[in-house]
Amino acid sequence: GLSFGQIGAAAAAQGLVVFLLELPTGGLADSLGRRPVLMFATIMEAASMTVLLIADSVPLVVAVFILQGIYRALESGPLDAWFVDAAHAVDSDADIEKAFARGGSVLGLAIASGALISSALVAFDPISSVSPLALPIIGAVALRGLDLVAITVLMKEDRSHVERRPVSASLREVPAIIRNTLGTVRHSRVLAALIGVELLWGFGMTAFEGLAPPKLAEVMGTTAEAASVFGPAVIAAWIASAIGAALVPHLSARVGLARAAMMLHLLQASLVVGMALSAGPLGVVAFYVLTLASHGAVNPAYQALLHRQADAAHRTTVVSAASMAAHPGAAMGGLALGALADRASISTAMVVGAIALCATIPLYLPAHRSARSEPLESERAGSLS
């Protein structure tokens, strides 16, 4: 029974919480440890979904989004940062890019499977005493319990090089870690440009994440018909995302990681324009699926480039800084493109979003130049030795 305005305000509360907590929680993970922060994040999301099950008023719905915001801020970065450091501890030349690509494939297949299972639970309503819409949420809470067990058992974090301190001491270190990270970003053209990519990418993503469903409804005539088609389209799109992620190492091996990311952003922008100009549902769905495939491909490439620029002491905070940039970008995109869709057309708004995606391309040039200069520096060092 909530209005779109009330839902929008609640979602904005989540964005604000994430924006305020991204850097502090990243600093906490770098200071206290990635494992305990990720465990607490998992507990917070389970709590947010539990409140969602009983939410029957605006304040409770806002509480759901605030808890979700805390979770997203805590969860952003610790697992990736732990993995990169753990992999480098075993092999300093570990292929991080291929690992992120495989992770992206698993993520895409997991989301597709979740969408399929959730749809089946709602459609078949196997437990008559429970609302079918509540069943996927109950299942998600249970899976978070398994997630917590997996983190506890499998995530072995070597903190032997860090002096054991009480949590209060780790908290006091957070401001210094944030200052050092921001200083690193200010003095690194590559990092600053990559964070700029997240800002524009967040803006541009609203063109296909937020506007694809109303575009489909526009060409089909009714929201109900569009919803019946969009559900299967989402499943197909996340499978395509998994395939896209798996193909990234092959592309980057041919053209280089930064150049691959530039090409994929250009492809993504072109596909969004194709979606905007489609006059029938088949075109909208096809371009949406392909857009998600390109999105799944560019994400591991971007993450690998970002981690190349971060050291172990500030890795989670650097990832959080990039993630923090995406949220105001998405918020601005939602407001600007939503207003443009109302005043002009959905297609116009989508094209503007595609232009924002194209604007990310030159921001990869510092990373591309940096990658080209590294072999030259290695050759000079070898000839000197």
Side-chain angles (χ1 to χ4, degrees), residues 63-302:
V64 169
F65 278 97
I66 289 174
L67 288 169
Q68 190 71 202
I70 296 171
Y71 154 70
R72 288 182 178 273
L74 288 165
E75 184 266 349
S76 173
L79 185 62
D80 287 352
W82 166 81
F83 170 76
V84 172
D85 288 343
H88 282 159
V90 175
D91 178 6
S92 59
D93 296 321
D95 193 342
I96 299 302
E97 174 203 338
K98 189 174 290 184
F100 277 126
R102 289 172 177 168
S105 294
V106 172
L107 179 64
L109 292 173
I111 294 175
S113 301
L116 182 62
I117 294 168
S118 296
S119 300
L121 286 172
V122 173
F124 295 109
D125 189 13
I127 305 174
S128 58
S129 59
V130 179
S131 166
L133 290 175
L135 289 176
I137 302 170
I138 295 170
V141 173
L143 286 173
R144 274 308 184 196
L146 292 177
D147 192 15
L148 191 60
V149 172
I151 293 168
T152 305
V153 173
L154 299 175
M155 194 173 176
K156 305 298 183 184
E157 187 171 18
D158 181 12
R159 304 286 292 178
S160 58
H161 62 288
V162 180
E163 180 187 352
R164 290 187 175 276
R165 301 179 301 275
V167 175
S168 58
S170 296
L171 289 170
R172 286 194 295 270
E173 278 190 352
V174 170
I177 292 175
I178 293 172
R179 284 195 300 272
N180 292 338
T181 302
L182 292 176
T184 302
V185 172
R186 277 198 304 271
H187 292 98
S188 170
R189 291 183 62 192
V190 177
L191 264 179
L194 288 174
I195 289 174
V197 168
E198 275 284 23
L199 183 69
L200 290 168
W201 197 2
F203 186 101
M205 275 193 287
T206 58
F208 59 89
E209 286 191 339
L211 295 179
K215 173 65 180 178
L216 187 60
E218 180 183 71
V219 299
M220 293 192 73
T222 69
T223 303
E225 289 181 357
S228 67
V229 172
F230 198 71
V234 168
I235 296 170
W238 281 107
I239 293 172
S241 174
I243 296 170
L247 295 176
V248 169
H250 304 287
L251 177 62
S252 63
R254 289 177 175 272
V255 302
L257 196 57
R259 190 175 288 174
M262 288 189 277
M263 292 169 61
L264 288 166
H265 272 296
L266 179 60
L267 174 63
Q268 187 177 49
S270 302
L271 292 168
V272 170
V273 171
M275 200 188 323
L277 301 180
S278 294
L282 183 60
V284 174
V285 169
F287 279 114
Y288 175 75
V289 171
L290 292 172
T291 300
L292 263 288
S294 65
H295 185 72
V298 76
N299 193 53
Y302 175 83

Side-chain angles (χ1 to χ4, degrees), residues 18-69:
V18 174
F19 182 77
L20 293 174
L21 294 183
E22 271 284 13
L23 281 180
T25 54
L28 182 62
D30 283 331
S31 175
L32 180 63
R34 284 72 183 260
R35 183 169 174 265
V37 169
L38 194 60
M39 291 172 71
F40 186 58
T42 302
I43 293 168
M44 292 304 294
E45 195 189 24
S48 75
M49 289 188 288
T50 302
V51 175
L52 180 59
L53 287 169
I54 60 169
D56 59 356
S57 65
V58 173
L60 278 177
V61 173
V62 171
V64 169
F65 278 97
I66 289 174
L67 288 169
Q68 190 71 202

